[in-house]
Amino acid sequence: MDEYDFIIIGAGLSGVNAAYRLKTELPDCSYTVLEARDTIGGTWSFFNFPGIRSDSALTLFGLPWRPWIHEKDIAEAHLIREYIEDAARDEGIDKKIQLGHKVTGVSWSSEEQRWTLAVDADGLVKEFKTKFLVSCSGYYDYANPLKTEIPGIENFEGTVAHPQFWPKDLDYANKKVIIIGSGATAITILPVMAKTASHVTMLQRSPSYVFTLPAVDSVGWWIRQHFSEHVAHTINWWRCFFEEHVFVFFNLFFPNLARWFLMHEMKKQLPDDIDVNVHFNPSYPPMDQRLCLCPDGDFFKALHRDNCDVVTDRIETVTVDGILTKSGKKLEADIIVTATGLHVHLLAGIIPVVDGQPIDMATSYAWRGAMITGLPNAGSVIGYTTNSWTLGCDASVKLLIKIWKHMKKIGATSVMPVRDRSDLASSKPAVSHSSTYFVAAQNRLPRITGESPWYGRTNTVYDYFKLWFGSVTKGLRYTIPSKKDQ
C-alpha cells in the first residue's frame, strides 16, 4: 500500500497548480496526483464540442507561476491543454501523476490519523494512504450531465447532442440546428456551428448577459514583445488583475449601472431585428450568474448572419423534426444540442467517511472556502465564479499549506473545522449563484453564514488579506498526540 503526506485528486489546471505549490513550498513532503482519466488537463482535455475555449483571459486564468505565451489571451482548449501538459512536464510534476486511477472512496481513521483511499486503477482495486487529502476534481460530474426534463425529447428522430459527450463524427454542415440553453456553452457553440450549418437557433428559456472582449490583448502582446518573459508576465498579470477586479466590483456594487452598460454594449452589436429587451434582458443582476464572454464579438457577428437567430420561449414539446414552443412557434431541426448545464458536486461525488460515519455535505459548513466541517486533514480546492477560476484555487492551496505548516509547528497530526452551533435554516449554499445547475445542487453543497471563517469563495483581495493576516486557529480543532485537542 502506497502512503504519502499529500494526495491530490485530479490532474487538471487546479491539480497541477496544487502539485507545484507542494513541490516548491513543502519540498520535504511526499505527494502524488491521482487522475481518473488517461490524460491530464481536466476540462480542457475532456470537452470537445465546437469552439471549446476559455471564457477568462489566460494571463490570469493560467498558472500564476508560468507565463501564458500565446498571442490569444482567450484561447482554444487544445492550447490550454498543451500549456498544462508542458507545465507539468517541465516541473517534473508529470512523474507524480498516476493516470487511470479513479478514487472511489475515502475514509478517515482517527486512530491512524490517516485517510485511506479506495482506487480503481483500470479494473485493479488499490488502496492508498495519506496524511492530507486535497481535492482538485472541480465542481462537476464528468460522467453525468445535469438531468433536465425536455418534454417529448424521445420523439425526436434527428440527433441529440450534449456538449459534455459530443459525438466525434457529428456532421452539422447544411443541417438545421437548435441549441437549447443560454449559458457560456451555448454562446461558444453557436458562432462555430453557424459557419457551416444551414440554420442555427439558440432557444433560451431566459436571457443571459453576453460581453465582448478582444481575443488578443494588444497591450499585453506589445509588452511581451518588448520586455523579458518574467518582467512582461509580472506587468501583464497585475494589469489584468486590476482591470478584472475593477470590472467585477463595478458589476457587483453598481448593479443598475452595470446592467445599463452591458445592455447598451449588447444592443450596439445586435442586428436590428433582435430586440435586446426581449432576448438579452436577464431577470437577475450582473454577476448573479456567470457572465458570458465572447472573443471579438463572434457571437454577435454570427447573429448578423441570415442563418442564425435567437428565440426566447419555453418548450411545449419536442416533435419528430423539431420543437414546438409554448407560444406556438415551430422550430425545425436535424440536430438538437442540449446545452442545459452541469451536474454539480464536490470531492468528485464521493461521500467521505470519518470513523465509519458518512459526512453529509448539505449539513456541513465551508471553512474559508477551503475546508469542510467534519473532514479532518482535507481541502477542497475551488476557484471563483465571478473572477478568474485559478486565482481562487491558488489562494485555497496556499491556505492549506499554511495550515499544514502550523500543524508541524505545534506538533499536531490533524486539523478539522468545527462549528459549535448549527444554523442551517439561516445559512446559504457555498455557491449562491442563481444558475439552474447551482440551484439544483444546493443539497450537495456545504453551507456558509457569510461570517468569518464560515464563508466560501469571495474574491482575491479578501482571500489574500485573510491568507496573510487571518487566523489559522479560529474555527479549527487541532489534534496533538498525547494532549487534548487544541
Side-chain angles (χ1 to χ4, degrees):
M1 183 185 299
D2 295 330
E3 182 169 338
Y4 300 90
D5 292 319
F6 288 85
I7 289 181
I8 299 168
I9 302 176
L13 196 64
S14 307
V16 170
N17 182 64
Y20 176 83
R21 293 304 185 196
L22 292 178
K23 168 180 175 285
T24 54
E25 297 189 34
L26 298 173
D28 296 329
C29 288
S30 61
Y31 76 91
T32 191
V33 184
L34 302 181
E35 169 55 51
R37 299 166 60 235
D38 60 2
T39 184
I40 72 172
T43 292
W44 309 108
S45 61
F46 177 67
F47 284 95
N48 63 355
F49 60 79
I52 172 68
R53 55 161 173 79
S54 70
D55 59 357
S56 296
L58 265 297
T59 298
L60 286 184
F61 183 72
L63 300 163
W65 39 271
R66 187 178 180 91
W68 177 256
I69 61 173
H70 295 284
E71 184 178 9
K72 280 188 176 181
D73 217 26
I74 298 179
E76 294 84 0
H78 72 93
L79 293 176
I80 304 173
R81 183 184 68 247
E82 292 168 4
Y83 168 78
I84 297 170
E85 291 171 346
D86 291 346
R89 183 182 59 253
D90 292 349
E91 295 295 337
I93 294 169
D94 59 333
K95 296 180 177 60
K96 300 287 188 177
I97 299 172
Q98 302 189 55
L99 299 174
H101 280 60
K102 181 179 181 180
V103 179
T104 57
V106 296
S107 60
W108 169 265
S109 167
S110 294
E111 182 178 355
E112 295 183 5
Q113 293 286 285
R114 298 286 189 278
W115 284 99
T116 299
L117 283 67
V119 177
D120 179 353
D122 294 326
L124 179 65
V125 178
K126 290 184 177 182
E127 278 194 354
F128 291 77
K129 285 188 180 293
T130 186
K131 296 175 183 175
F132 209 105
L133 184 64
V134 182
S135 174
C136 294
S137 55
Y139 66 88
Y140 66 87
D141 188 343
Y142 278 70
N144 301 290
L146 177 68
K147 291 182 179 179
T148 304
E149 293 296 326
I150 302 176
I153 192 69
E154 69 280 358
N155 300 325
F156 187 58
E157 294 182 353
T159 301
V160 177
H162 194 287
Q164 194 162 334
F165 307 105
W166 194 264
K168 290 184 179 179
D169 58 350
L170 181 61
D171 180 11
Y172 51 85
N174 302 313
K175 301 290 180 64
K176 293 181 287 243
V177 181
I178 297 175
I179 303 171
I180 302 175
S182 61
T185 302
I187 302 302
T188 300
I189 291 176
L190 181 140
V192 179
M193 298 191 79
K195 292 177 181 178
T196 57
S198 65
H199 195 274
V200 180
T201 297
M202 188 175 86
L203 174 58
Q204 58 181 10
R205 182 175 55 188
S206 57
S208 298
Y209 297 102
V210 185
F211 188 65
T212 292
L213 281 180
V216 177
D217 178 357
S218 57
V219 174
W221 186 245
W222 184 89
I223 291 172
R224 289 184 210 167
Q225 302 305 302
H226 291 81
F227 293 90
S228 68
E229 185 178 87
H230 174 72
V231 172
H233 177 64
T234 301
I235 295 172
N236 280 329
W237 193 94
W238 281 106
R239 181 179 60 85
C240 291
F241 178 90
F242 177 77
E243 290 174 354
E244 179 178 285
H245 281 72
V246 168
F247 180 74
V248 170
F249 289 156
F250 167 68
N251 279 269
L252 291 175
F253 292 107
F254 303 97
N256 293 332
L257 185 58
R259 171 190 284 275
W260 175 87
F261 170 74
L262 291 171
M263 290 189 64
H264 175 74
E265 291 299 304
M266 290 188 288
K267 184 177 181 178
K268 284 197 309 185
Q269 299 172 81
L270 286 168
D272 293 337
D273 60 340
I274 296 182
D275 189 343
V276 68
N277 292 307
V278 174
H279 302 293
F280 294 93
N281 187 9
S283 60
Y284 57 87
M287 296 296 176
D288 196 51
Q289 296 183 19
R290 190 167 179 85
L291 179 67
C292 297
L293 296 179
C294 64
D296 297 330
D298 63 351
F299 173 75
F300 297 107
K301 290 174 183 176
L303 292 179
H304 281 267
R305 302 172 65 108
D306 293 335
N307 70 332
C308 200
D309 66 350
V310 176
V311 174
T312 304
D313 206 339
R314 291 179 176 267
I315 297 173
E316 177 67 31
T317 188
V318 178
T319 64
V320 294
D321 60 352
I323 292 177
L324 181 66
T325 69
K326 289 283 188 181
S327 67
K329 182 177 291 187
K330 176 65 185 295
L331 307 174
E332 294 183 351
D334 302 304
I335 299 170
I336 294 177
V337 179
T338 54
T340 50
L342 304 165
H343 179 84
V344 174
H345 65 196
L346 298 183
L347 303 178
I350 300 166
I351 299 175
V353 176
V354 175
D355 294 329
Q357 297 297 315
I359 302 299
D360 181 10
M361 287 289 161
T363 58
S364 301
Y365 288 83
W367 184 88
R368 290 174 64 178
M371 299 182 75
I372 298 168
T373 56
L375 296 184
N377 287 18
S380 179
V381 174
I382 296 293
Y384 299 121
T385 54
T386 53
N387 294 95
S388 292
W389 173 266
T390 318
L391 295 175
C393 294
D394 200 39
S396 293
V397 171
K398 288 181 175 180
L399 177 57
L400 296 175
I401 289 174
K402 185 176 182 179
I403 290 170
W404 173 269
K405 289 179 177 179
H406 184 72
M407 287 172 60
K408 297 295 111 178
K409 180 180 178 180
I410 66 174
T413 54
S414 65
V415 58
M416 180 175 67
V418 177
R419 184 167 172 78
D420 296 329
R421 59 191 177 90
S422 177
D423 46 3
L424 289 175
S426 60
S427 65
K428 300 185 297 183
V431 181
S432 56
H433 271 208
S434 61
S435 300
T436 302
Y437 56 97
F438 276 120
V439 173
Q442 288 191 10
N443 64 345
R444 297 187 295 273
L445 296 175
R447 313 295 294 181
I448 59 173
T449 66
E451 298 177 355
S452 183
W454 311 110
Y455 58 86
R457 295 261 55 87
T458 54
N459 62 73
T460 317
V461 175
Y462 183 78
D463 283 344
Y464 270 85
F465 176 82
K466 298 297 284 187
L467 174 67
W468 296 328
F469 304 109
S471 169
V472 290
T473 58
K474 184 180 180 181
L476 296 179
R477 177 181 296 161
Y478 290 85
T479 299
I480 302 175
S482 303
K483 292 185 179 182
K484 295 182 179 180
D485 289 353
Q486 300 297 306

